[in-house]
Amino acid sequence: MAVIPVDVAGRPYEVRVEAGLLAELVPHCRGLLRKRDVPIVTDANVHAAWGEVVESALRDHGHEPHWRILAAGEQTKSWENLSRTVDWLLSLGVERGDHVLALGGGVIGDLTGFAAAVLKRGCQFIQLPTTLLAQVDSSVGGKTAINTSAGKNLVGAFHQPALVLADLATLDTLPERELLAGYAEVVKYGLIGDADFFAWCEENGSALLSGNARDREYAVAHSVAHKARIVAEDERETTGTRALLNLGHTFGHALEAETGYSADLLHGEAVALGMVLAARFSARAGLMPRSTAERIASHFDAVGMRSELAPLRLGCDGKALAAHMLHDKKMDAGMLPFVLMKGVGKAYLDKSVALDDVAAFLDEELAR
Ligand code: NAD
Ligand code: GLY
């Protein structure tokens, strides 16, 4: 088992990575579940696949599970579900020292984490991430949020979990498309600041995606360790370090907005395309050779992900895509910081990118 400490000031916690953690949930929680009653928030798909395992794991140790099973999908991160989940936790008598379990992908983790952040001004929660994306990214670092009619993740809080148990066995029931989407966030760590890890992905990505257990554990633990270092350095995203995790996200969010945050383009798929676009934009600006950008695109092609805009048939121009970026929550004094690259593993935050230039670049990409 890999155990990765996340050293946030005053509230350090561990991320444990291994296959089979859910079946041994209670011992791995090491005394955090202090009451008989245990609230668990999940979605219908995850409950169908892992509900029994978690139910037995809790009952075998004398706990009484209380389930809140939400619909699967992005629309679950809503005000309505937040308010109902908080009311449900209150009805169970959850106290500030109690731990709520978030069993699922980023949707469940973000919603449950936010509910825990506001319940009695903050109760404890444990992340039990069941998607690759959630294991390597969303369950670690304390960003919690819901969506509103104005956009995604615009209302939320920083609220760190008390523990993260990333059970690699859960990836066995994850649909292949979701696995691939999560893989984009794995590759991101290589592109941000770890050229050796990107090279490792080029060599081992396909095996990892096909189910190689050793590669999965290595990739998840390595990604989490990278994120843990970043979060320990810049928990609230104020110094520019944590902002590097947004590589590909500004372009990606514009694509998600244009496709209506629908199943046409999953978040991780948008991030993969966004990273290719950030790389090509960087090359166009003379920051790195075009061949480096195409090396990145080739890796996504090789594992079966999109690296071109044309197949999305967006029917809009670059200006319309760039306009979505104006609603980005990272806008700062009228400027939008972009994560660009000076090479593989050499991402940096650029606050001087002109949106007109981005629009012209996107027109070129749409015409490719
Ligand atoms: P998700 O939570 O919607 O899960 C994807 C799909 O897989 C869902 O249909 C779900 O029911 C299903 N599923 C999950 N685990 C399964 C399993 N083991 N077996 C079978 N089916 C399973 O999506 P996601 O990609 O995990 O997360 C995306 C969300 O995460 C977005 O809302 C995004 O904004 C958020 N996010 C948050 C952060 C953060 O730092 N908080 C970072 C990245 C993304
Ligand atoms: N997923 C980006 C972050 O946690 O900062």
Side-chain angles (χ1 to χ4, degrees), residues 43-46 49-50 72-74 77 104-108 110 130-131 133-134 137-140 142-144 147 152-153 170-171 173-175 178 185 227 242 249 267:
D43 74 30
N45 295 338
V46 178
W50 293 95
E74 190 63 36
K77 277 171 58 173
V107 164
I108 291 299
D110 280 13
T130 62
T131 64
L133 181 142
D137 189 0
S138 63
S139 67
V140 182
K143 280 189 182 175
T144 73
N147 306 323
K152 256 190 78 168
N153 296 330
T170 59
L171 303 181
T173 59
L174 192 63
E178 298 288 352
E185 303 281 7
K227 180 150 187 185
R242 187 164 183 170
H249 284 60
H267 174 72

Side-chain angles (χ1 to χ4, degrees), residues 46-62:
V46 178
H47 186 258
W50 293 95
E52 269 183 41
V53 171
V54 172
E55 175 94 17
S56 307
L58 288 166
R59 288 197 184 280
D60 288 352
H61 286 266

Side-chain angles (χ1 to χ4, degrees), residues 6 136-143 188-189 222-232 242 245:
V6 186
V136 300
D137 189 0
S138 63
S139 67
V140 182
K143 280 189 182 175
K188 184 180 77 179
Y189 293 104
H222 195 85
S223 301
V224 168
H226 194 147
K227 180 150 187 185
R229 283 195 299 277
I230 288 179
V231 169
R242 187 164 183 170
L245 292 172

Side-chain angles (χ1 to χ4, degrees), residues 181-193:
Y183 179 68
E185 303 281 7
V186 172
V187 173
K188 184 180 77 179
Y189 293 104
L191 297 180
I192 290 172

